[in-house]
Amino acid sequence: MSEHEDHHEEHGHDEHGHDDHHGHLQLEYEEALPINNGKVCLWLFLSTEIMFFAGLIGTYIVLRFGSPAGTWPRPHDVHVNEFLGTLNTFILILSSFTVVLTYEATKRNNSAKAKGCLAFTFLCGCAFLGIKMVEYAGKFEYGIHPNPGGHSLLYEQADVYYLRDLKATITKEAIIPLAAKSAAAEAAADQVPDAEDAVPAKIPTAGHNVLEPFLHHSVQWAEYVVGQVPNTHMDPTADGLNHRDVLISLSQEVYPLDRYKNLFKVTQGAEQEYIEERLKALPDLVTAAGQDNDVLSMLAYEKTILGARQKYLVDHNHAATAEHDDHDSGAGHAHGGLNADLRAAHSPVILPMHIPSGNMFSATYFLLTGFHALHVIVGLILFLFPLFWTLEKSRANYIENAGLYWHFVDLVWIFLFPLFYLF
């Protein structure tokens, strides 16, 4: 063998110049993504769900913080139960932990443990829905809900339209026109009803003792103020009352809100002062009217309205003082308004309520929590089928994908909980 050939052999080349080592290389290819097709499809689905809930939650945040300052309902204003919301949060977090235990037990072919953990997760989801139904029922019981088929019981403002619908709910008959619609004093007097003529034709027996005094002492008083008393809201120099504050005060008798507590007291104080001054002036007005029966009739009715409202304010102040003393001594609770009295009397009547931004709150609350509840139901369906399977390693991918979906549902609730329940 020549020296040249020896040189080629030493370097692993044959006579054709080929490298002998190249024939022993093995090329191995791995998957582009180390996950199965089912998980890829799930993540694609979850990405659309993330955009869906991000849009809903973002819209809610814009509506809430874009509303006038101090007008968005606080949780207790709309009967949001913080305890039940916190309990549901704990339940979902616990269910996320047990679904992880289910997956780990399935990978280890421990079917008994996996089924036990999965059954507990399923029961947690059912408990969440049950508590949510209790919350929904409570809001419907108080009349705090959207009403697509008619006018909601929640009014953004306490105005003449609120007064009209409030009276219509009580009387269930033709509404007596407001005196403010007439220019002539005589015509206005004809439109203002006598107290005995305004007795509701049909008031449920359970709420009769509550609704009738409210109609005579408060609703008719508000009609009188709107129709005949100068509005200091439009003209601060006028010798009258602030119509807006009087109507808000009326709404607070139905459904009190803490934000209007001081306004309620101040307005009733102003009403008391006006009534006292007006009653002092009435004798001179009667003398000046002479034999004008229309004016005399109007002044007589006015005296009746003023006297009824004055008596109500005195009685109300005494009752409020006694209630405050009982509360300080631990013997009572804050008054919940006329609607609370109707509920205590088991009356089917729910009177319209003045809750600023109440309709927007109820619409967004039921929309977001309703969509979330539907996703919880889908998760329960995904968990229902494996309860009848043998949960061995071959089922681990299904359990993992179902668990990922459940974690997403829990994460959405983590965002909803503070928005609706904490502030």
Side-chain angles (χ1 to χ4, degrees):
M1 183 179 294
S2 66
E3 183 178 347
H4 178 71
E5 293 174 343
D6 292 341
H7 176 75
H8 278 283
E9 289 180 0
E10 288 177 2
H11 289 82
H13 295 281
D14 59 14
E15 61 183 62
H16 301 290
H18 295 158
D19 193 340
D20 293 339
H21 297 293
H22 288 179
H24 300 289
L25 291 179
Q26 298 292 330
L27 298 180
E28 296 182 0
Y29 296 91
E30 295 186 0
E31 298 179 0
L33 292 174
I35 56 177
N36 56 57
N37 294 335
K39 190 179 294 185
V40 172
C41 293
L42 177 67
W43 278 113
L44 289 175
F45 169 73
L46 290 182
S47 64
T48 63
E49 291 295 286
I50 290 171
M51 290 186 288
F52 174 73
F53 276 103
L56 290 178
I57 294 174
T59 302
Y60 171 81
I61 292 174
V62 170
L63 291 174
R64 172 168 184 166
F65 294 99
S67 62
T71 62
W72 195 264
R74 300 182 181 93
H76 61 273
D77 291 342
V78 284
H79 297 280
V80 171
N81 193 315
E82 293 92 341
F83 172 76
L84 292 181
T86 304
L87 180 61
N88 260 348
T89 304
F90 173 77
I91 288 174
L92 283 187
I93 293 175
L94 181 61
S95 68
S96 287
F97 174 69
T98 55
V99 80
V100 172
L101 296 181
T102 302
Y103 173 64
E104 293 297 325
T106 303
K107 288 198 303 182
R108 291 174 173 76
N109 290 320
N110 191 341
S111 181
K113 181 179 179 181
K115 279 193 175 184
C117 293
L118 186 61
F120 186 84
T121 304
F122 183 85
L123 292 176
C124 284
C126 292
F128 176 90
L129 291 178
I131 293 174
K132 183 54 63 180
M133 291 303 103
V134 170
E135 288 189 81
Y136 282 178
K139 288 178 178 58
F140 272 82
E141 186 178 2
Y142 283 97
I144 300 174
H145 56 79
N147 190 10
H151 201 292
S152 170
L153 292 174
L154 308 180
Y155 285 72
E156 306 295 324
Q157 297 182 12
D159 51 19
V160 292
Y161 301 104
Y162 171 76
L163 176 60
R164 177 197 64 188
D165 293 343
L166 180 62
K167 184 170 183 177
T169 303
I170 297 174
T171 60
K172 299 294 184 182
E173 57 186 14
I175 303 168
I176 302 172
L178 292 175
K181 295 182 179 179
S182 296
E186 293 81 4
D190 293 337
Q191 287 186 358
V192 177
D194 292 331
E196 59 271 13
D197 296 335
V199 175
K202 293 181 180 180
I203 294 181
T205 304
H208 180 82
N209 293 333
V210 176
L211 291 175
E212 186 176 359
F214 175 68
L215 176 68
H216 296 330
H217 301 157
S218 298
V219 175
Q220 286 187 309
W221 161 254
E223 285 185 327
Y224 161 77
V225 169
V226 171
Q228 298 188 33
V229 178
N231 187 0
T232 60
H233 183 71
M234 304 299 296
D235 182 10
T237 63
D239 185 15
L241 292 169
N242 189 316
H243 291 186
R244 170 186 170 274
D245 292 349
V246 169
L247 291 173
I248 290 178
S249 179
L250 174 71
S251 72
Q252 295 310 291
E253 295 181 41
V254 176
Y255 189 82
L257 300 176
D258 287 343
R259 74 185 71 178
Y260 293 121
K261 185 181 298 182
N262 292 333
L263 175 65
F264 181 67
K265 294 179 180 178
V266 171
T267 302
Q268 289 200 340
E271 290 177 355
Q272 184 68 39
E273 292 179 5
Y274 176 84
I275 291 172
E276 291 174 357
E277 293 297 326
R278 189 65 180 172
L279 286 175
K280 291 179 182 178
L282 281 181
D284 293 336
L285 294 175
V286 171
T287 302
Q291 301 300 318
D292 192 334
N293 292 329
D294 290 336
V295 175
L296 291 175
S297 175
M298 184 180 68
L299 293 175
Y301 175 73
E302 183 179 1
K303 183 178 180 180
T304 303
I305 287 291
L306 293 172
R309 184 61 177 177
Q310 185 179 51
K311 182 178 185 303
Y312 169 81
L313 292 176
V314 172
D315 294 342
H316 176 79
N317 289 334
H318 287 322
T321 302
E323 183 178 305
H324 178 72
D325 294 339
D326 290 341
H327 181 71
D328 290 341
S329 62
H333 301 280
H335 185 258
L338 190 60
N339 272 346
D341 293 339
L342 291 171
R343 288 186 68 250
H346 305 288
S347 172
V349 176
I350 303 177
L351 298 180
M353 295 161 283
H354 168 228
I355 304 178
S357 301
N359 283 306
M360 188 63 69
F361 167 83
S362 64
T364 53
Y365 173 84
F366 282 97
L367 180 67
L368 268 69
T369 59
F371 271 121
H372 179 264
L374 288 177
H375 283 71
V376 172
I377 293 174
V378 172
L380 293 180
I381 294 174
L382 294 177
F383 290 149
L384 181 63
F385 294 110
L387 291 176
F388 301 97
W389 300 345
T390 299
L391 296 181
E392 53 192 12
K393 191 174 182 179
S394 60
R395 303 288 190 179
N397 285 336
Y398 178 91
I399 297 298
E400 182 182 16
N401 292 337
L404 287 173
Y405 173 83
W406 192 251
H407 293 326
F408 166 76
V409 173
D410 293 357
L411 183 62
V412 171
W413 180 254
I414 294 300
F415 282 95
L416 296 181
F417 171 67
L419 288 177
F420 287 116
Y421 291 84
L422 298 185
F423 61 92

